[in-house]
Amino acid sequence: MRFLIVRTAIRAAADTDITAAWAGGRRLRDETTRPEPRRQVVHAEDLDAALLLARAISTVGAVRSGKQRVKVLPLDDPHHRRADPGGPGT
């Protein structure tokens, strides 16, 4: 299985945004509607390689200081497919 390793910038959130999200029962950050800006993208062919690359990328100062984050995403996992938005049941 192939993986995508992504280093992204973390968007700052104001206290009022946090309060509004909490009160409205919604998410503060929703990656499907407004993804964080990408800083680096790397591909790996298996999980071991992906985790090794993610650990290496995590040593970047901005990640260690909490300004950026590293995500490991499976690219072709048949068990985690999204439902077809135009398919049956919609």
Side-chain angles (χ1 to χ4, degrees), residues 1-8 42-44 46-55 57-58 69-75:
M1 178 183 341
R2 296 177 314 140
F3 291 87
L4 186 67
I5 302 92
V6 182
R7 182 169 54 102
T8 63
V42 181
H43 296 269
D46 60 40
L47 183 58
D48 290 335
L51 294 176
L52 182 65
L53 287 166
R55 279 192 295 271
I57 293 170
S58 295
R69 74 177 92 217
V70 177
K71 302 170 187 176
V72 177
L73 309 167
L75 288 179

Side-chain angles (χ1 to χ4, degrees), residues 6-11 36-40 57-71:
V6 182
R7 182 169 54 102
T8 63
I10 298 174
R11 283 190 304 272
E36 295 173 334
R38 292 181 179 181
R39 299 293 181 224
Q40 183 177 14
I57 293 170
S58 295
T59 63
V60 172
V63 176
R64 292 176 50 207
S65 69
K67 295 177 183 173
Q68 296 177 356
R69 74 177 92 217
V70 177
K71 302 170 187 176

